[in-house]
Amino acid sequence: MAVAGGSDEYARERARQAKERERRRKAAEADAKRQAREEKAAYEAARAQEAVDKTSVTEHDVEQLAGLLRAAVLDGRPLSFDGLRQRFVPAAFAPPKSRTKPVPLPRWGEYEPEPPRGWLGALGFGRRSYDAEVEAARKRFDEALRDHAREEHKRVGKLDAAQARHDERNQQEAARIEEWNAGIEARRVAYQEREVEAVEWFIDQVLAASAYPHGFPKAHQVSYQADTGDLLVEIDLPLEDVIPAARAYRYVKTRDEITPVPRPEKERHELYASVLAQAALRTVHELFAADTDGVVRSVALNGHVALTLVAARQACWRAAGLVAMAIET
């Protein structure tokens, strides 16, 4: 009977352990599935946010394009000769710390030998040996002082040389800026006297300082007629691909793809025509705003688009004739 009872107890324990293992297996599977769901949800949320971010970038780009003229008229500050002047700010001297801090002097205590101790020392025994050790220590100490003096002399010399080089660089930069500012003042006078080179140089600076969104060409040419005050300006205009082809982006879970929502062709054409017209009007505005001396009497602006002839004509038609124009005061 005892054996049979023991067998029953063993069987029940085996069954309990098997049941516990099954419970743990199911719990582990449930945890794995839950973790997988959470990871998938986090991944999909990240991808969806990526689509939102790309949409935000596109909207920002379009906003910049739509406000080209407004940004220059309301927020822009016209370039001036004063704005072209440079200000000298001397650079601070910052040598390595190893050259600014003197090396500590040798201390006699680091060289002094231990004097005899105990009753033998009190009676004078070992005095001769001690005196010899002291004499040898003094020689080492004196040599250490001389070495320190030599190293300190080198350190100070290197520090002085670095200071001299630093001062020379500051003087050179100050001289360069002084020469630059003198050149600016000379160009200002020449500009006011309508000298062609000075006027064309300043107009180049104005056009170069105009900040446009990414994708805009910066090439330009200017020609000034001193007798009439007429200014001819030729600028390169962007291609139509400066307009974002997508209006927005969305995340498609089933394909795990971020797909663009196309911008309607009509909208792209209208925005591109607006960009061309704004760029033309903005250029003319910036030139007249910068010309505080009234040197420029009229501006003839030609805008060039690097397209085929047919496409260029279409772009000009869409811009309503504002890309190539002459504006007179």
Side-chain angles (χ1 to χ4, degrees), residues 269-270 272-274 276-277 313-325:
H269 294 333
E270 290 177 350
Y272 181 57
S274 172
L276 297 182
R313 287 175 177 171
Q314 292 175 348
C316 291
W317 293 337
R318 287 196 297 268
L322 290 175
V323 177
M325 65 174 147

Side-chain angles (χ1 to χ4, degrees), residues 200 203-204 207 218-224 231-236 283 287 299-302 304:
E200 291 180 352
I203 297 302
D204 275 335
L207 295 175
K218 296 292 291 183
H220 61 266
Q221 292 182 342
V222 298
S223 178
Y224 178 68
L231 180 68
L232 172 63
V233 179
E234 297 183 356
I235 61 173
D236 284 351
T283 300
L287 295 177
V299 174
L301 177 67
N302 291 329
H304 301 282

Side-chain angles (χ1 to χ4, degrees), residues 103-133:
V103 179
L105 278 166
R107 295 182 300 167
W108 168 244
E110 298 173 348
Y111 295 83
E112 183 180 13
E114 187 81 16
R117 294 185 179 182
W119 62 272
L120 289 175
L123 294 175
F125 291 100
R127 187 69 188 181
R128 182 178 299 177
S129 175
Y130 172 70
D131 290 343
E133 292 177 359

Side-chain angles (χ1 to χ4, degrees), residues 7-296:
S7 297
D8 291 344
E9 184 66 24
Y10 175 75
R12 285 195 294 272
E13 179 61 21
R14 290 290 301 274
R16 186 191 67 78
Q17 291 179 0
K19 187 175 182 180
E20 178 63 19
R21 286 195 298 270
E22 180 66 13
R23 186 191 66 79
R24 291 179 180 177
R25 185 188 65 78
K26 290 182 178 180
E29 288 181 354
D31 288 342
K33 290 180 180 179
R34 176 185 54 78
Q35 184 175 357
R37 288 194 301 270
E38 291 176 353
E39 290 177 353
K40 181 180 179 182
Y43 173 80
E44 292 175 346
R47 293 284 279 168
Q49 185 60 48
E50 184 180 351
V52 171
D53 293 341
K54 294 187 69 172
T55 299
S56 298
V57 171
T58 298
E59 292 175 347
H60 176 264
D61 291 344
V62 170
E63 184 180 352
Q64 280 192 314
L65 294 173
L68 284 177
L69 183 59
R70 182 178 64 252
V73 175
L74 300 182
D75 304 329
R77 297 180 59 184
L79 187 68
S80 65
F81 279 95
D82 287 336
L84 290 171
R85 290 176 60 88
Q86 296 179 5
R87 177 171 168 264
F88 172 64
V89 179
F93 181 53
K97 291 183 179 180
S98 60
R99 293 184 183 176
T100 58
K101 292 184 179 181
V103 179
L105 278 166
R107 295 182 300 167
W108 168 244
E110 298 173 348
Y111 295 83
E112 183 180 13
E114 187 81 16
R117 294 185 179 182
W119 62 272
L120 289 175
L123 294 175
F125 291 100
R127 187 69 188 181
R128 182 178 299 177
S129 175
Y130 172 70
D131 290 343
E133 292 177 359
V134 169
E135 182 63 24
R138 286 190 180 280
K139 290 181 179 180
R140 294 195 302 273
F141 179 63
D142 292 341
E143 182 64 26
L145 288 175
R146 288 191 293 270
D147 290 344
H148 176 272
R150 283 194 298 269
E151 292 301 320
E152 186 64 10
H153 180 74
K154 290 180 182 178
R155 183 191 68 81
V156 173
K158 291 180 179 179
L159 184 62
D160 291 343
Q163 178 74 65
R165 290 193 298 269
H166 173 78
D167 293 342
E168 183 179 3
R169 287 193 294 268
N170 268 340
Q171 292 170 4
Q172 291 174 349
E173 180 65 8
R176 184 196 66 77
I177 290 179
E178 183 178 359
E179 181 181 0
W180 169 267
N181 290 339
I184 292 297
E185 291 307 312
R187 288 184 183 274
R188 187 204 300 264
V189 173
Y191 181 87
Q192 294 170 343
E193 295 176 353
R194 296 192 176 190
E195 293 187 13
V196 173
E197 188 276 335
V199 174
E200 291 180 352
W201 179 86
F202 181 66
I203 297 302
D204 275 335
Q205 305 306 307
V206 173
L207 295 175
S210 184
Y212 279 86
H214 175 72
F216 275 73
K218 296 292 291 183
H220 61 266
Q221 292 182 342
V222 298
S223 178
Y224 178 68
Q225 297 293 326
D227 54 344
T228 62
D230 296 334
L231 180 68
L232 172 63
V233 179
E234 297 183 356
I235 61 173
D236 284 351
L237 294 167
L239 301 175
E240 191 168 3
D241 59 9
V242 75
I243 309 298
R247 175 184 282 179
Y249 292 86
R250 61 189 181 88
Y251 174 55
V252 182
K253 291 183 181 180
T254 55
R255 298 197 304 270
D256 189 22
E257 292 179 354
I258 295 178
T259 60
V261 178
R263 188 177 304 277
E265 283 298 309
K266 182 175 182 295
E267 181 180 329
R268 289 193 67 191
H269 294 333
E270 290 177 350
L271 182 55
Y272 181 57
S274 172
V275 165
L276 297 182
Q278 287 185 82
L281 292 172
R282 168 174 164 159
T283 300
V284 174
H285 164 77
E286 289 173 335
L287 295 177
F288 279 123
D291 180 39
T292 56
D293 294 308
V295 170
V296 178

